[in-house]
Amino acid sequence: MTYKPKKHKGIFLSWLSSYLFILLIPLTISIFAYTQSIYIIETEINRANSASLKQVQQIIDSRLKDIEKLSVEIAFNEKIRGLVGYSKSLTPHQIYTTTNIINDIKIYKIANAFINDLYVYFRYNNFVLGPNGKCSSAEFHEFYCKDYGQDLEEWLRMLNRNHPGEYKALGNPKEQRLSKKIIFARSLPIEFLNETGGVIVIGMDESTLIKALQDINWVHQGIIMVTDQSDNIIMSTQRGTDKTHILKSHNFDKPQGLLHRKIKGEEYIVSYIKSDVTGWNYISVLPTRIFLDKAKYIKKISIVSTAICLLIGGWIAYLFSKRNYSPVKKNGGYIGKKRRYSG
């Protein structure tokens, strides 16, 4: 009977495969850690995104509440209330009162730096009082409202409607030559909504609110926009681009939410939260490639560490298998020689 070294080679391969199998355990853990890190990155970005969007809501809602409070304060100004329902020619005393009202409006405007326009329209005598003085409605429209895309008749129709306290965006965002402004209108007298003797109009320049949006550090990577209850875009950090496709087939019916959407062939995360004051929607649209960009470094590290682990681990597995196999090989050779001599 002759000695067969193939049996001992089988033992070597068995040990080697055992060591390599043990090597698969840390590799499996590394793959799991990589997938979990991607999930954590996405979760943390979404969390930071939601927190920033909440911050936007609080900043803008706070200013909107201040405007509403200011409009109520103006509505109960006794000088203004005395002129709202007056339809005859103004007396000298009332003309003097208009001067005092103009001074009051100046104080209101200076004390509230976040507004850039404030005026009161008196319907029956067809004049407007603002921080710069008194003028007719036609003169005021010519000097201050012409750039917002409304002609005189349309502007007067807006002023003569009942406004229980509502916001409106003036200007067409598709027309780059036009300015844009968000106004708050409250009809006077405040306690009789069926009778409109005048209206308080408080205006904010869009740039004032856009600044609050752009202060969020992740805005440059996506889009933040504000829409009204009818999903009309009031303002956006990317003015002049068509963003209506983002709102199509999206249902913002909950107080806040997060949606995964494919828009024009690219994957996006759409986060939104509703205003507690107006019912507006504050919407953030981030491309999912942001997550992938942040994961690239982790992916490179994982690939390099896996390759190193395979090379070093495979080499160590080979050395251990060879070291354990050496005594078996020697004993096998000794037994084989002994059998040949005894034969």
Side-chain angles (χ1 to χ4, degrees), residues 194-304:
N194 293 329
E195 302 176 16
T196 303
V199 62
I200 302 165
V201 178
I202 302 173
M204 296 179 293
D205 196 324
E206 185 193 21
S207 61
T208 305
L209 300 181
I210 290 293
K211 179 64 168 57
L213 305 184
Q214 291 176 336
D215 286 340
I216 305 303
N217 57 7
W218 43 260
V219 168
H220 65 281
Q221 300 182 64
I223 303 172
I224 292 184
M225 66 182 103
V226 182
T227 64
D228 60 18
Q229 296 89 330
S230 301
D231 289 337
N232 298 312
I233 297 175
I234 297 173
M235 70 185 84
S236 172
T237 54
Q238 291 188 7
R239 186 178 177 183
T241 59
D242 182 17
K243 298 169 286 293
T244 55
H245 59 278
I246 297 175
L247 304 177
K248 290 180 180 178
S249 71
H250 296 164
N251 190 8
F252 306 117
D253 56 345
K254 297 179 181 178
Q256 65 182 75
L258 187 145
L259 307 169
H260 292 261
R261 291 290 184 269
K262 191 171 185 178
I263 303 171
K264 291 189 173 181
E266 187 172 1
E267 296 289 337
Y268 285 87
I269 299 289
V270 180
S271 305
Y272 70 92
I273 186 170
K274 285 188 175 295
S275 168
D276 293 331
V277 179
T278 62
W280 290 354
N281 296 309
Y282 303 111
I283 303 170
S284 168
V285 182
L286 292 176
T288 55
R289 54 182 165 79
I290 293 176
F291 310 130
L292 300 178
D293 290 341
K294 291 184 177 295
K296 282 182 179 178
Y297 177 74
I298 297 177
K299 185 177 181 181
K300 289 179 180 178
I301 294 297
S302 299
I303 292 173
V304 172

Side-chain angles (χ1 to χ4, degrees), residues 121-133:
Y121 168 67
F122 295 85
R123 177 181 182 182
Y124 297 122
N125 277 282
N126 193 30
F127 66 87
V128 176
L129 295 181
N132 296 322

